[in-house]
Amino acid sequence: MKVEPLAVLGGGLMGSGIAESAASAGLPVIVRDVDKEACAAARARIEGSVGRLRDKGRLTDARFEEILGRISYTAELEDLADADLVIEAVPENLELKRAILAELVEVVAPEALIASNTSSLAIAQLASGMPAPERFLGLHFFSPVPVMALVEIVVALRTSEATREAAEGFAVTIGKEAIVAKDRSGFVVNMLLVPYLMAAMRMYEEGFATAADIDRGMQLGCGHPMGPLALCDMIGLDVLCMVCDSLYDEYRRPEYVPPPILRRMVESGLFGRKANAGFYEY
Ligand SMILES: NC(=O)c1ccc[n+]([C@@H]2O[C@H](COP(=O)([O-])OP(=O)(O)OC[C@H]3O[C@@H](n4cnc5c(N)ncnc54)[C@H](O)[C@@H]3O)[C@@H](O)[C@H]2O)c1
């Protein structure tokens, strides 16, 4: 399937990474965010990330310009009209995502594929009542997107075989490896990862060990590249809290209940790296 252009809805942490990965693989990309300021922030995030590769000598100046030249930014949804694939990466909130998708289907072609990067919401719920539900699917990327190889392709009950195949082709085109998961909250990776992260938070909350020792324990004892609390800070505690709520809604298992410290930190604006403070100061 030809993806020219790819449209990305939301140029935050994930949307910027998706745009950068696709542009690095040669695809034209259009990023839509809410207003000029948010578009400028997305541009700065992408330029910073690609710029770091150039500064490390991993990209030439020409390649740097080429990648950035493939990405355009807009605050107007109508500018996404020609997209063959739209990947939605707005905040993890069902009402917000549904409202944006309802506007989007009025703008794009009926055969354009529509993917959500949701971490925990059901694709069926996002696509419910929308025209042509067979073209909806989940494309769940991992942070930082330009570095992480995996994308989970989430196939909902009404996602067509052609949509799934096109998504697999797209993953290969942008240099990712795909695994396929059913439309269940958490898919494969978060369903396994989140109980582990919550266990680390509970351990910290109970004063069992310091954040640094919990993290070093898992790095040095299990060979993990990053400890669980540093990983929580990287994912974003606000995002994690919403993911826990969705997982608990779906399965009603105590391992998905956010511990009190997670809610208190989110309420206090301690979102992790993006707020320069979480379990660690940045
Ligand atoms: N953070 C992670 O590690 C991670 C990993 C996988 C998936 N996800 C999922 O990706 C999605 C985005 O997460 P994020 O961490 O990038 O969030 P973020 O807060 O960094 O970015 C969200 C972006 O969406 C924009 N936005 C809000 N309303 C919009 C609208 N109406 N139209 C266009 N843009 C709009 C915001 O301005 C912001 O730039 C969520 O569904 C999240 O669950 C996150």
Side-chain angles (χ1 to χ4, degrees), residues 85-89 101 113-117 135-139:
L85 167 63
V86 182
I87 302 178
E88 168 277 305
L101 292 173
L113 300 191
I114 302 180
S116 174
N117 185 47
R135 48 128 166 215
F136 279 81
L137 78 159
L139 279 177

Side-chain angles (χ1 to χ4, degrees), residues 66-282:
E66 192 186 297
I67 294 171
L68 296 183
R70 291 197 188 108
I71 308 175
S72 57
Y73 302 84
T74 183
E76 307 303 328
L77 197 62
E78 291 66 31
D79 291 342
L80 273 46
D82 294 334
D84 296 308
L85 167 63
V86 182
I87 302 178
E88 168 277 305
V90 304
E92 189 77 347
N93 174 301
L94 178 66
E95 285 70 38
L96 174 71
K97 284 188 192 282
R98 276 191 53 83
I100 289 167
L101 292 173
E103 286 178 45
L104 180 73
V105 294
E106 298 294 321
V107 169
V108 293
E111 61 279 6
L113 300 191
I114 302 180
S116 174
N117 185 47
T118 177
S119 305
S120 60
L121 301 168
I123 302 304
Q125 219 178 356
L126 292 173
S128 175
M130 307 270 174
E134 66 280 359
R135 48 128 166 215
F136 279 81
L137 78 159
L139 279 177
H140 185 230
F141 290 85
F142 291 78
S143 175
V145 182
V147 176
M148 301 299 279
L150 182 67
V151 57
E152 288 179 308
I153 295 180
V154 185
V155 178
L157 285 177
R158 297 188 70 179
T159 305
S160 69
E161 196 51 35
T163 298
R164 173 197 156 144
E165 280 169 14
E168 284 174 336
F170 170 73
V172 171
T173 302
I174 65 164
K176 301 291 181 203
E177 296 212 17
I179 60 173
V180 177
K182 269 193 189 176
D183 189 19
R184 300 282 183 275
S185 186
F187 320 128
V188 173
V189 174
N190 276 339
M191 198 175 163
L192 293 173
L193 178 67
V194 169
Y196 159 66
L197 297 180
M198 294 309 120
M201 277 187 204
R202 286 188 199 102
M203 188 178 241
Y204 172 78
E205 185 168 42
E206 286 161 14
F208 208 93
T210 63
D213 279 357
I214 292 170
D215 280 350
R216 278 200 319 149
M218 293 310 289
Q219 285 179 280
L220 302 180
C222 294
H224 290 191
M226 187 180 264
L229 299 175
L231 181 55
C232 290
D233 276 358
M234 195 176 89
I235 294 170
L237 300 191
D238 52 337
V239 173
L240 262 176
C241 199
M242 289 184 268
V243 172
C244 280
D245 286 340
S246 298
L247 281 162
Y248 186 70
D249 258 9
E250 179 103 325
Y251 301 107
R252 302 277 155 187
R253 291 191 200 139
E255 69 239 43
Y256 297 120
V257 176
I261 190 170
L262 176 56
R263 289 209 194 279
R264 286 306 95 74
M265 287 176 78
V266 171
E267 287 155 6
S268 309
L270 300 168
F271 298 146
R273 274 197 200 188
K274 63 181 154 191
N276 298 321
F279 289 101
Y280 299 93
E281 298 280 323
Y282 297 91

